[in-house]
Amino acid sequence: MNHLPQAWGRPRDDVYGAYDASHFQMSGPTQHSSRPIVTGTSVVAVKFKDGVVIAADNLASYGSLARFTDVKRLRTFNSKSVLGFGGDVSDMQYLDRLLNSLSVRENYSTSIDDSGKSDLDAHNLHRYLSKVMYKRRSDFNPLWNHILVAGLGEKDAPFLASVDLLGTTFSSPTLATGFGAHLAQPILRRQVPDEAASKELSQEKAVELIRECMKVLFYRDARSMDKYSIAVISKSGVDLKEDEKLENQSWAFAEGIRGYGTQVN
Amino acid sequence: MFRNNYDSDALTFSPQGRIFQVEYAQEAVKQGSVVVGIVSKTHAVLAALKRNAEELSSYQKKVIEIDAHYGIALAGLASDARVLSNFMQQQSLSSRLTYDRPIALAEITHRLSIRAQKSTQQHGRRPYGVGLLIAGIDTTGPHLFEFQPSGVTQEMVACAMGARSQMARTYLERHVDEFEACGKDELIKHALRALKESLSQDKELTVDNTSVGISGEDEAFILLDGQSVVPWLNATFENREGGEESMEVDS
């Protein structure tokens, strides 16, 4: 024992060596994310006459490596809305925790409806997320995601909107993120060119259309997978299936592709 | 003299379990001029009697619009009400900004009560010397909440507070069964009649001293002040003598 009270009860330096205090060094350079690391690819969604269909595959890639094959990229919120996340998976998980705490706060707050559920609908959720995303981009520390928010908005009308890592928002009867914006969106728009067409679209047709898009994406997007999640949101609630498999694949078209792969000419 | 040893701050209970500073604050509410609030199935209405400090001065504001869907009426210290209304406006705006959702009336009332309760338990503060009626409409329908300096809030069907408000309360209690089915017009008339009950003999409801606030389904909160209350005063008190004189306007 020595006469320094702060040393009492601690391992003695002369026996164990000086304590390595570098763990306590909290200050280092501030680090911001500058690129996504583990990523999810496209999310596709379409509005139909009394709801929304949304889908995303279950793959999280590490660069070009298909690293995790059972990552669920669709998430329900208060059993009223569904979010689809494209982009960085760890940022998706951060947002997931953020939304869990929002959900708890909402359901304990006084703004609940007759069924005892929070009245925070898809529209409110989308506005909240856009503020979160824009705040983070303004801090030069963006959450590297492109998110689709699907659900029922004001007066239970089908609602579909997107927000990206810059906080940019966009709304349309059909939406797709990532590669899907190039490969699936044209297919979706051919079937559902405008709001009026989506009001005519039946649930069966919408689901079929989304499944078709998932198939085309699997054919042509090298960061995609044939296992996917699909959710239908309507007045009767959320029907989320997280273990779907692509059916009736036909790779016959691959024969005709020239210019890369094994054939040279 | 009879000195009260337990009223010099809001922290100390008296041996009878009372906090005198809070009770004094409630006296300030009773000094304020009367305000009335009623809800029906479709509407919420506020009516207030405005006072002027002297003949030559303007009238103190009694009904304040907080957001598009609700407003408040105050009885007591107007400057304290200004602080609270400012707080409510900020909270309401923040809800619209971050969620694009009008704040629920139960929620804003809850936040208000938390804020007010703090000043009954913290050193160096005094309770707010104002009572509020919070009336409006949200996703769960029309609501009326009563707020007191103690931080107590209650949902009400009808409520009156301020000087001589007992007369108005008696009127409201007598007609309480009629309110639920009332439309906008009937509800305003009830509120104005209740307000009139609490006036002293020599006083009248006039263009200058009457304020009304209404909100209903798909209707934004409207504040009726000055000339815009004239039709309502005329409709409510059809055959009153001398009432016309105060409502004359230069053309």
Side-chain angles (χ1 to χ4, degrees), chain A residues 33-36 86-88 91 95 129-147 162-169 177:
Chain A
S33 53
S34 55
R35 63 201 162 113
D88 194 277
D91 285 352
L95 281 166
L129 278 173
S130 74
K131 299 287 163 181
V132 172
M133 299 300 268
Y134 181 69
K135 200 273 177 188
R136 290 294 295 260
R137 85 102 223 196
S138 301
D139 292 344
F140 283 87
N141 190 19
L143 294 164
W144 223 285
N145 296 106
H146 194 158
I147 306 165
S162 77
V163 56
D164 70 4
L165 72 165
L166 302 174
T168 314
T169 60
T177 75

PDB file of all heavy atoms in Angstrom, chain A residues 33-36 86-88 91 95 129-147 162-169 177:
ATOM      1  N   SER A  33     -19.382   7.533 -42.213  1.00  0.00           N
ATOM      2  CA  SER A  33     -19.398   6.492 -43.247  1.00  0.00           C
ATOM      3  C   SER A  33     -19.252   7.142 -44.615  1.00  0.00           C
ATOM      4  O   SER A  33     -19.895   8.150 -44.921  1.00  0.00           O
ATOM      5  CB  SER A  33     -20.687   5.688 -43.158  1.00  0.00           C
ATOM      6  OG  SER A  33     -21.792   6.538 -43.180  1.00  0.00           O
ATOM      7  N   SER A  34     -18.372   6.589 -45.428  1.00  0.00           N
ATOM      8  CA  SER A  34     -18.147   7.158 -46.751  1.00  0.00           C
ATOM      9  C   SER A  34     -18.580   6.206 -47.849  1.00  0.00           C
ATOM     10  O   SER A  34     -18.550   6.553 -49.021  1.00  0.00           O
ATOM     11  CB  SER A  34     -16.675   7.501 -46.918  1.00  0.00           C
ATOM     12  OG  SER A  34     -15.907   6.357 -46.655  1.00  0.00           O
ATOM     13  N   ARG A  35     -18.950   4.984 -47.467  1.00  0.00           N
ATOM     14  CA  ARG A  35     -19.457   4.037 -48.459  1.00  0.00           C
ATOM     15  C   ARG A  35     -20.188   2.912 -47.740  1.00  0.00           C
ATOM     16  O   ARG A  35     -19.905   2.645 -46.558  1.00  0.00           O
ATOM     17  CB  ARG A  35     -18.300   3.469 -49.290  1.00  0.00           C
ATOM     18  CG  ARG A  35     -17.307   2.682 -48.461  1.00  0.00           C
ATOM     19  CD  ARG A  35     -15.964   2.570 -49.146  1.00  0.00           C
ATOM     20  NE  ARG A  35     -14.949   2.194 -48.182  1.00  0.00           N
ATOM     21  CZ  ARG A  35     -14.304   1.025 -48.197  1.00  0.00           C
ATOM     22  NH1 ARG A  35     -14.558   0.128 -49.128  1.00  0.00           N
ATOM     23  NH2 ARG A  35     -13.398   0.768 -47.275  1.00  0.00           N
ATOM     24  N   PRO A  36     -21.090   2.264 -48.432  1.00  0.00           N
ATOM     25  CA  PRO A  36     -21.755   1.121 -47.834  1.00  0.00           C
ATOM     26  C   PRO A  36     -20.822  -0.087 -47.832  1.00  0.00           C
ATOM     27  O   PRO A  36     -19.961  -0.189 -48.701  1.00  0.00           O
ATOM     28  CB  PRO A  36     -22.949   0.888 -48.745  1.00  0.00           C
ATOM     29  CG  PRO A  36     -22.534   1.434 -50.060  1.00  0.00           C
ATOM     30  CD  PRO A  36     -21.563   2.548 -49.788  1.00  0.00           C
ATOM     31  N   GLY A  86     -33.004  -0.815 -49.066  1.00  0.00           N
ATOM     32  CA  GLY A  86     -31.903  -1.106 -49.973  1.00  0.00           C
ATOM     33  C   GLY A  86     -30.669  -0.415 -49.429  1.00  0.00           C
ATOM     34  O   GLY A  86     -30.790   0.529 -48.675  1.00  0.00           O
ATOM     35  N   GLY A  87     -29.476  -0.890 -49.797  1.00  0.00           N
ATOM     36  CA  GLY A  87     -28.253  -0.243 -49.348  1.00  0.00           C
ATOM     37  C   GLY A  87     -27.657  -0.909 -48.123  1.00  0.00           C
ATOM     38  O   GLY A  87     -27.859  -2.100 -47.897  1.00  0.00           O
ATOM     39  N   ASP A  88     -26.950  -0.126 -47.311  1.00  0.00           N
ATOM     40  CA  ASP A  88     -26.134  -0.682 -46.236  1.00  0.00           C
ATOM     41  C   ASP A  88     -26.988  -1.400 -45.179  1.00  0.00           C
ATOM     42  O   ASP A  88     -27.975  -0.861 -44.678  1.00  0.00           O
ATOM     43  CB  ASP A  88     -25.344   0.435 -45.567  1.00  0.00           C
ATOM     44  CG  ASP A  88     -24.247  -0.100 -44.683  1.00  0.00           C
ATOM     45  OD1 ASP A  88     -24.551  -0.459 -43.529  1.00  0.00           O
ATOM     46  OD2 ASP A  88     -23.103  -0.197 -45.167  1.00  0.00           O
ATOM     47  N   ASP A  91     -26.652   0.032 -41.452  1.00  0.00           N
ATOM     48  CA  ASP A  91     -27.487   1.233 -41.294  1.00  0.00           C
ATOM     49  C   ASP A  91     -28.966   0.859 -41.227  1.00  0.00           C
ATOM     50  O   ASP A  91     -29.747   1.497 -40.526  1.00  0.00           O
ATOM     51  CB  ASP A  91     -27.236   2.216 -42.444  1.00  0.00           C
ATOM     52  CG  ASP A  91     -25.905   2.940 -42.300  1.00  0.00           C
ATOM     53  OD1 ASP A  91     -25.268   2.775 -41.241  1.00  0.00           O
ATOM     54  OD2 ASP A  91     -25.506   3.647 -43.235  1.00  0.00           O
ATOM     55  N   LEU A  95     -31.476   1.781 -38.208  1.00  0.00           N
ATOM     56  CA  LEU A  95     -32.817   2.347 -38.395  1.00  0.00           C
ATOM     57  C   LEU A  95     -33.884   1.454 -37.780  1.00  0.00           C
ATOM     58  O   LEU A  95     -34.885   1.933 -37.243  1.00  0.00           O
ATOM     59  CB  LEU A  95     -33.095   2.546 -39.884  1.00  0.00           C
ATOM     60  CG  LEU A  95     -32.456   3.793 -40.490  1.00  0.00           C
ATOM     61  CD1 LEU A  95     -32.481   3.738 -42.008  1.00  0.00           C
ATOM     62  CD2 LEU A  95     -33.147   5.049 -39.996  1.00  0.00           C
ATOM     63  N   LEU A 129     -38.901   9.496 -41.355  1.00  0.00           N
ATOM     64  CA  LEU A 129     -37.667   8.936 -41.908  1.00  0.00           C
ATOM     65  C   LEU A 129     -36.946   9.949 -42.793  1.00  0.00           C
ATOM     66  O   LEU A 129     -35.716  10.033 -42.780  1.00  0.00           O
ATOM     67  CB  LEU A 129     -37.974   7.678 -42.722  1.00  0.00           C
ATOM     68  CG  LEU A 129     -38.123   6.407 -41.901  1.00  0.00           C
ATOM     69  CD1 LEU A 129     -38.593   5.270 -42.786  1.00  0.00           C
ATOM     70  CD2 LEU A 129     -36.806   6.043 -41.240  1.00  0.00           C
ATOM     71  N   SER A 130     -37.706  10.728 -43.557  1.00  0.00           N
ATOM     72  CA  SER A 130     -37.068  11.708 -44.428  1.00  0.00           C
ATOM     73  C   SER A 130     -36.317  12.747 -43.590  1.00  0.00           C
ATOM     74  O   SER A 130     -35.246  13.205 -43.996  1.00  0.00           O
ATOM     75  CB  SER A 130     -38.093  12.374 -45.337  1.00  0.00           C
ATOM     76  OG  SER A 130     -38.880  13.277 -44.612  1.00  0.00           O
ATOM     77  N   LYS A 131     -36.866  13.085 -42.418  1.00  0.00           N
ATOM     78  CA  LYS A 131     -36.169  14.036 -41.538  1.00  0.00           C
ATOM     79  C   LYS A 131     -34.893  13.417 -40.967  1.00  0.00           C
ATOM     80  O   LYS A 131     -33.869  14.085 -40.864  1.00  0.00           O
ATOM     81  CB  LYS A 131     -37.077  14.468 -40.379  1.00  0.00           C
ATOM     82  CG  LYS A 131     -38.330  15.151 -40.805  1.00  0.00           C
ATOM     83  CD  LYS A 131     -38.055  16.549 -41.297  1.00  0.00           C
ATOM     84  CE  LYS A 131     -39.246  17.048 -42.085  1.00  0.00           C
ATOM     85  NZ  LYS A 131     -39.072  18.385 -42.636  1.00  0.00           N
ATOM     86  N   VAL A 132     -34.982  12.139 -40.575  1.00  0.00           N
ATOM     87  CA  VAL A 132     -33.808  11.441 -40.047  1.00  0.00           C
ATOM     88  C   VAL A 132     -32.712  11.383 -41.109  1.00  0.00           C
ATOM     89  O   VAL A 132     -31.559  11.723 -40.852  1.00  0.00           O
ATOM     90  CB  VAL A 132     -34.166  10.012 -39.586  1.00  0.00           C
ATOM     91  CG1 VAL A 132     -32.910   9.234 -39.229  1.00  0.00           C
ATOM     92  CG2 VAL A 132     -35.107  10.055 -38.402  1.00  0.00           C
ATOM     93  N   MET A 133     -33.092  10.979 -42.324  1.00  0.00           N
ATOM     94  CA  MET A 133     -32.110  10.812 -43.401  1.00  0.00           C
ATOM     95  C   MET A 133     -31.485  12.157 -43.787  1.00  0.00           C
ATOM     96  O   MET A 133     -30.286  12.254 -44.004  1.00  0.00           O
ATOM     97  CB  MET A 133     -32.760  10.179 -44.637  1.00  0.00           C
ATOM     98  CG  MET A 133     -33.343   8.807 -44.406  1.00  0.00           C
ATOM     99  SD  MET A 133     -32.153   7.594 -43.856  1.00  0.00           S
ATOM    100  CE  MET A 133     -31.628   6.902 -45.417  1.00  0.00           C
ATOM    101  N   TYR A 134     -32.319  13.197 -43.837  1.00  0.00           N
ATOM    102  CA  TYR A 134     -31.786  14.506 -44.225  1.00  0.00           C
ATOM    103  C   TYR A 134     -30.878  15.076 -43.148  1.00  0.00           C
ATOM    104  O   TYR A 134     -29.870  15.705 -43.438  1.00  0.00           O
ATOM    105  CB  TYR A 134     -32.933  15.483 -44.514  1.00  0.00           C
ATOM    106  CG  TYR A 134     -32.430  16.826 -44.946  1.00  0.00           C
ATOM    107  CD1 TYR A 134     -31.800  16.977 -46.185  1.00  0.00           C
ATOM    108  CD2 TYR A 134     -32.532  17.936 -44.119  1.00  0.00           C
ATOM    109  CE1 TYR A 134     -31.303  18.195 -46.578  1.00  0.00           C
ATOM    110  CE2 TYR A 134     -32.036  19.161 -44.510  1.00  0.00           C
ATOM    111  CZ  TYR A 134     -31.426  19.290 -45.736  1.00  0.00           C
ATOM    112  OH  TYR A 134     -30.927  20.501 -46.124  1.00  0.00           O
ATOM    113  N   LYS A 135     -31.237  14.820 -41.888  1.00  0.00           N
ATOM    114  CA  LYS A 135     -30.396  15.273 -40.784  1.00  0.00           C
ATOM    115  C   LYS A 135     -29.024  14.626 -40.894  1.00  0.00           C
ATOM    116  O   LYS A 135     -28.002  15.292 -40.748  1.00  0.00           O
ATOM    117  CB  LYS A 135     -31.068  14.889 -39.462  1.00  0.00           C
ATOM    118  CG  LYS A 135     -30.620  15.667 -38.245  1.00  0.00           C
ATOM    119  CD  LYS A 135     -29.417  15.069 -37.580  1.00  0.00           C
ATOM    120  CE  LYS A 135     -28.970  15.937 -36.410  1.00  0.00           C
ATOM    121  NZ  LYS A 135     -27.683  15.477 -35.869  1.00  0.00           N
ATOM    122  N   ARG A 136     -29.018  13.314 -41.144  1.00  0.00           N
ATOM    123  CA  ARG A 136     -27.734  12.601 -41.205  1.00  0.00           C
ATOM    124  C   ARG A 136     -26.896  13.028 -42.402  1.00  0.00           C
ATOM    125  O   ARG A 136     -25.679  13.106 -42.319  1.00  0.00           O
ATOM    126  CB  ARG A 136     -27.990  11.094 -41.220  1.00  0.00           C
ATOM    127  CG  ARG A 136     -28.501  10.543 -39.899  1.00  0.00           C
ATOM    128  CD  ARG A 136     -27.445  10.654 -38.824  1.00  0.00           C
ATOM    129  NE  ARG A 136     -26.304   9.827 -39.137  1.00  0.00           N
ATOM    130  CZ  ARG A 136     -26.064   8.622 -38.619  1.00  0.00           C
ATOM    131  NH1 ARG A 136     -26.893   8.150 -37.702  1.00  0.00           N
ATOM    132  NH2 ARG A 136     -25.015   7.924 -38.980  1.00  0.00           N
ATOM    133  N   ARG A 137     -27.542  13.315 -43.524  1.00  0.00           N
ATOM    134  CA  ARG A 137     -26.743  13.752 -44.679  1.00  0.00           C
ATOM    135  C   ARG A 137     -26.185  15.139 -44.407  1.00  0.00           C
ATOM    136  O   ARG A 137     -25.084  15.480 -44.832  1.00  0.00           O
ATOM    137  CB  ARG A 137     -27.518  13.700 -45.977  1.00  0.00           C
ATOM    138  CG  ARG A 137     -28.379  14.880 -46.322  1.00  0.00           C
ATOM    139  CD  ARG A 137     -27.705  15.768 -47.359  1.00  0.00           C
ATOM    140  NE  ARG A 137     -27.891  17.169 -46.947  1.00  0.00           N
ATOM    141  CZ  ARG A 137     -27.717  18.209 -47.717  1.00  0.00           C
ATOM    142  NH1 ARG A 137     -27.343  18.050 -48.974  1.00  0.00           N
ATOM    143  NH2 ARG A 137     -27.891  19.423 -47.264  1.00  0.00           N
ATOM    144  N   SER A 138     -26.933  15.957 -43.651  1.00  0.00           N
ATOM    145  CA  SER A 138     -26.459  17.305 -43.334  1.00  0.00           C
ATOM    146  C   SER A 138     -25.300  17.274 -42.347  1.00  0.00           C
ATOM    147  O   SER A 138     -24.515  18.211 -42.287  1.00  0.00           O
ATOM    148  CB  SER A 138     -27.596  18.152 -42.759  1.00  0.00           C
ATOM    149  OG  SER A 138     -28.652  18.225 -43.686  1.00  0.00           O
ATOM    150  N   ASP A 139     -25.198  16.193 -41.568  1.00  0.00           N
ATOM    151  CA  ASP A 139     -24.041  15.997 -40.692  1.00  0.00           C
ATOM    152  C   ASP A 139     -22.868  15.393 -41.447  1.00  0.00           C
ATOM    153  O   ASP A 139     -21.873  15.012 -40.836  1.00  0.00           O
ATOM    154  CB  ASP A 139     -24.406  15.050 -39.533  1.00  0.00           C
ATOM    155  CG  ASP A 139     -25.399  15.666 -38.577  1.00  0.00           C
ATOM    156  OD1 ASP A 139     -25.563  16.900 -38.635  1.00  0.00           O
ATOM    157  OD2 ASP A 139     -26.011  14.932 -37.787  1.00  0.00           O
ATOM    158  N   PHE A 140     -22.994  15.270 -42.744  1.00  0.00           N
ATOM    159  CA  PHE A 140     -21.984  14.577 -43.573  1.00  0.00           C
ATOM    160  C   PHE A 140     -21.769  13.146 -43.090  1.00  0.00           C
ATOM    161  O   PHE A 140     -20.668  12.617 -43.159  1.00  0.00           O
ATOM    162  CB  PHE A 140     -20.653  15.344 -43.571  1.00  0.00           C
ATOM    163  CG  PHE A 140     -20.686  16.544 -44.459  1.00  0.00           C
ATOM    164  CD1 PHE A 140     -21.132  17.757 -43.986  1.00  0.00           C
ATOM    165  CD2 PHE A 140     -20.298  16.446 -45.792  1.00  0.00           C
ATOM    166  CE1 PHE A 140     -21.199  18.864 -44.810  1.00  0.00           C
ATOM    167  CE2 PHE A 140     -20.357  17.556 -46.617  1.00  0.00           C
ATOM    168  CZ  PHE A 140     -20.804  18.766 -46.137  1.00  0.00           C
ATOM    169  N   ASN A 141     -22.805  12.534 -42.554  1.00  0.00           N
ATOM    170  CA  ASN A 141     -22.694  11.170 -42.041  1.00  0.00           C
ATOM    171  C   ASN A 141     -23.955  10.395 -42.426  1.00  0.00           C
ATOM    172  O   ASN A 141     -24.731   9.977 -41.564  1.00  0.00           O
ATOM    173  CB  ASN A 141     -22.527  11.219 -40.517  1.00  0.00           C
ATOM    174  CG  ASN A 141     -22.153   9.875 -39.931  1.00  0.00           C
ATOM    175  OD1 ASN A 141     -21.675   8.997 -40.655  1.00  0.00           O
ATOM    176  ND2 ASN A 141     -22.393   9.698 -38.649  1.00  0.00           N
ATOM    177  N   PRO A 142     -24.164  10.208 -43.728  1.00  0.00           N
ATOM    178  CA  PRO A 142     -25.464   9.672 -44.155  1.00  0.00           C
ATOM    179  C   PRO A 142     -25.684   8.220 -43.764  1.00  0.00           C
ATOM    180  O   PRO A 142     -24.736   7.462 -43.579  1.00  0.00           O
ATOM    181  CB  PRO A 142     -25.399   9.803 -45.679  1.00  0.00           C
ATOM    182  CG  PRO A 142     -23.958   9.780 -45.999  1.00  0.00           C
ATOM    183  CD  PRO A 142     -23.271  10.451 -44.863  1.00  0.00           C
ATOM    184  N   LEU A 143     -26.953   7.873 -43.604  1.00  0.00           N
ATOM    185  CA  LEU A 143     -27.346   6.469 -43.486  1.00  0.00           C
ATOM    186  C   LEU A 143     -27.487   5.975 -44.919  1.00  0.00           C
ATOM    187  O   LEU A 143     -28.351   6.454 -45.650  1.00  0.00           O
ATOM    188  CB  LEU A 143     -28.661   6.346 -42.719  1.00  0.00           C
ATOM    189  CG  LEU A 143     -28.586   6.764 -41.259  1.00  0.00           C
ATOM    190  CD1 LEU A 143     -29.969   6.991 -40.692  1.00  0.00           C
ATOM    191  CD2 LEU A 143     -27.840   5.727 -40.441  1.00  0.00           C
ATOM    192  N   TRP A 144     -26.644   4.996 -45.307  1.00  0.00           N
ATOM    193  CA  TRP A 144     -26.511   4.659 -46.718  1.00  0.00           C
ATOM    194  C   TRP A 144     -27.622   3.720 -47.185  1.00  0.00           C
ATOM    195  O   TRP A 144     -27.366   2.569 -47.509  1.00  0.00           O
ATOM    196  CB  TRP A 144     -25.130   4.048 -46.981  1.00  0.00           C
ATOM    197  CG  TRP A 144     -24.536   4.598 -48.239  1.00  0.00           C
ATOM    198  CD1 TRP A 144     -24.907   4.276 -49.512  1.00  0.00           C
ATOM    199  CD2 TRP A 144     -23.494   5.557 -48.342  1.00  0.00           C
ATOM    200  NE1 TRP A 144     -24.160   5.000 -50.394  1.00  0.00           N
ATOM    201  CE2 TRP A 144     -23.276   5.792 -49.716  1.00  0.00           C
ATOM    202  CE3 TRP A 144     -22.713   6.251 -47.413  1.00  0.00           C
ATOM    203  CZ2 TRP A 144     -22.316   6.671 -50.203  1.00  0.00           C
ATOM    204  CZ3 TRP A 144     -21.760   7.124 -47.893  1.00  0.00           C
ATOM    205  CH2 TRP A 144     -21.569   7.331 -49.277  1.00  0.00           C
ATOM    206  N   ASN A 145     -28.840   4.242 -47.178  1.00  0.00           N
ATOM    207  CA  ASN A 145     -29.978   3.417 -47.558  1.00  0.00           C
ATOM    208  C   ASN A 145     -30.862   4.131 -48.570  1.00  0.00           C
ATOM    209  O   ASN A 145     -30.847   5.344 -48.665  1.00  0.00           O
ATOM    210  CB  ASN A 145     -30.849   3.090 -46.336  1.00  0.00           C
ATOM    211  CG  ASN A 145     -30.114   2.256 -45.328  1.00  0.00           C
ATOM    212  OD1 ASN A 145     -29.728   2.752 -44.283  1.00  0.00           O
ATOM    213  ND2 ASN A 145     -29.892   1.007 -45.649  1.00  0.00           N
ATOM    214  N   HIS A 146     -31.600   3.318 -49.299  1.00  0.00           N
ATOM    215  CA  HIS A 146     -32.706   3.852 -50.078  1.00  0.00           C
ATOM    216  C   HIS A 146     -33.923   3.072 -49.587  1.00  0.00           C
ATOM    217  O   HIS A 146     -33.953   1.845 -49.693  1.00  0.00           O
ATOM    218  CB  HIS A 146     -32.456   3.641 -51.564  1.00  0.00           C
ATOM    219  CG  HIS A 146     -33.367   4.440 -52.436  1.00  0.00           C
ATOM    220  ND1 HIS A 146     -33.064   4.743 -53.729  1.00  0.00           N
ATOM    221  CD2 HIS A 146     -34.566   4.995 -52.201  1.00  0.00           C
ATOM    222  CE1 HIS A 146     -34.058   5.459 -54.259  1.00  0.00           C
ATOM    223  NE2 HIS A 146     -34.971   5.618 -53.356  1.00  0.00           N
ATOM    224  N   ILE A 147     -34.897   3.764 -49.030  1.00  0.00           N
ATOM    225  CA  ILE A 147     -35.985   3.096 -48.318  1.00  0.00           C
ATOM    226  C   ILE A 147     -37.311   3.310 -49.042  1.00  0.00           C
ATOM    227  O   ILE A 147     -37.597   4.418 -49.489  1.00  0.00           O
ATOM    228  CB  ILE A 147     -36.102   3.652 -46.882  1.00  0.00           C
ATOM    229  CG1 ILE A 147     -34.763   3.559 -46.158  1.00  0.00           C
ATOM    230  CG2 ILE A 147     -37.168   2.900 -46.103  1.00  0.00           C
ATOM    231  CD1 ILE A 147     -34.691   4.387 -44.907  1.00  0.00           C
ATOM    232  N   SER A 162     -40.667   6.938 -51.301  1.00  0.00           N
ATOM    233  CA  SER A 162     -39.287   6.537 -51.027  1.00  0.00           C
ATOM    234  C   SER A 162     -38.523   7.686 -50.386  1.00  0.00           C
ATOM    235  O   SER A 162     -38.897   8.849 -50.525  1.00  0.00           O
ATOM    236  CB  SER A 162     -38.593   6.138 -52.328  1.00  0.00           C
ATOM    237  OG  SER A 162     -38.238   7.284 -53.054  1.00  0.00           O
ATOM    238  N   VAL A 163     -37.466   7.327 -49.685  1.00  0.00           N
ATOM    239  CA  VAL A 163     -36.525   8.334 -49.198  1.00  0.00           C
ATOM    240  C   VAL A 163     -35.131   7.733 -49.329  1.00  0.00           C
ATOM    241  O   VAL A 163     -34.933   6.543 -49.098  1.00  0.00           O
ATOM    242  CB  VAL A 163     -36.843   8.767 -47.747  1.00  0.00           C
ATOM    243  CG1 VAL A 163     -36.876   7.593 -46.794  1.00  0.00           C
ATOM    244  CG2 VAL A 163     -35.855   9.803 -47.259  1.00  0.00           C
ATOM    245  N   ASP A 164     -34.174   8.548 -49.766  1.00  0.00           N
ATOM    246  CA  ASP A 164     -32.831   8.009 -49.973  1.00  0.00           C
ATOM    247  C   ASP A 164     -31.835   8.608 -48.988  1.00  0.00           C
ATOM    248  O   ASP A 164     -32.216   9.343 -48.079  1.00  0.00           O
ATOM    249  CB  ASP A 164     -32.399   8.195 -51.426  1.00  0.00           C
ATOM    250  CG  ASP A 164     -32.144   9.663 -51.760  1.00  0.00           C
ATOM    251  OD1 ASP A 164     -32.225  10.507 -50.833  1.00  0.00           O
ATOM    252  OD2 ASP A 164     -31.875   9.963 -52.926  1.00  0.00           O
ATOM    253  N   LEU A 165     -30.565   8.267 -49.179  1.00  0.00           N
ATOM    254  CA  LEU A 165     -29.537   8.668 -48.207  1.00  0.00           C
ATOM    255  C   LEU A 165     -29.350  10.173 -48.112  1.00  0.00           C
ATOM    256  O   LEU A 165     -28.759  10.663 -47.155  1.00  0.00           O
ATOM    257  CB  LEU A 165     -28.202   7.987 -48.545  1.00  0.00           C
ATOM    258  CG  LEU A 165     -27.423   8.449 -49.776  1.00  0.00           C
ATOM    259  CD1 LEU A 165     -26.019   7.918 -49.712  1.00  0.00           C
ATOM    260  CD2 LEU A 165     -28.073   8.024 -51.049  1.00  0.00           C
ATOM    261  N   LEU A 166     -29.842  10.920 -49.105  1.00  0.00           N
ATOM    262  CA  LEU A 166     -29.733  12.377 -49.051  1.00  0.00           C
ATOM    263  C   LEU A 166     -30.964  13.019 -48.427  1.00  0.00           C
ATOM    264  O   LEU A 166     -31.010  14.227 -48.239  1.00  0.00           O
ATOM    265  CB  LEU A 166     -29.550  12.929 -50.464  1.00  0.00           C
ATOM    266  CG  LEU A 166     -28.337  12.403 -51.230  1.00  0.00           C
ATOM    267  CD1 LEU A 166     -28.367  12.910 -52.657  1.00  0.00           C
ATOM    268  CD2 LEU A 166     -27.057  12.835 -50.556  1.00  0.00           C
ATOM    269  N   GLY A 167     -31.969  12.204 -48.143  1.00  0.00           N
ATOM    270  CA  GLY A 167     -33.217  12.754 -47.619  1.00  0.00           C
ATOM    271  C   GLY A 167     -34.170  13.154 -48.730  1.00  0.00           C
ATOM    272  O   GLY A 167     -35.187  13.786 -48.485  1.00  0.00           O
ATOM    273  N   THR A 168     -33.822  12.809 -49.961  1.00  0.00           N
ATOM    274  CA  THR A 168     -34.712  13.103 -51.091  1.00  0.00           C
ATOM    275  C   THR A 168     -35.934  12.189 -51.014  1.00  0.00           C
ATOM    276  O   THR A 168     -35.794  10.983 -50.860  1.00  0.00           O
ATOM    277  CB  THR A 168     -33.997  12.827 -52.421  1.00  0.00           C
ATOM    278  OG1 THR A 168     -32.698  13.391 -52.354  1.00  0.00           O
ATOM    279  CG2 THR A 168     -34.772  13.414 -53.589  1.00  0.00           C
ATOM    280  N   THR A 169     -37.105  12.776 -51.161  1.00  0.00           N
ATOM    281  CA  THR A 169     -38.312  11.954 -51.139  1.00  0.00           C
ATOM    282  C   THR A 169     -38.947  11.933 -52.516  1.00  0.00           C
ATOM    283  O   THR A 169     -38.810  12.876 -53.289  1.00  0.00           O
ATOM    284  CB  THR A 169     -39.342  12.505 -50.138  1.00  0.00           C
ATOM    285  OG1 THR A 169     -39.683  13.837 -50.523  1.00  0.00           O
ATOM    286  CG2 THR A 169     -38.809  12.481 -48.738  1.00  0.00           C
ATOM    287  N   THR A 177     -35.836   0.518 -55.931  1.00  0.00           N
ATOM    288  CA  THR A 177     -34.557   1.116 -55.546  1.00  0.00           C
ATOM    289  C   THR A 177     -33.424   0.361 -56.207  1.00  0.00           C
ATOM    290  O   THR A 177     -33.597  -0.763 -56.679  1.00  0.00           O
ATOM    291  CB  THR A 177     -34.344   1.056 -54.029  1.00  0.00           C
ATOM    292  OG1 THR A 177     -34.014  -0.296 -53.675  1.00  0.00           O
ATOM    293  CG2 THR A 177     -35.585   1.472 -53.269  1.00  0.00           C
TER     294      THR A 177
END
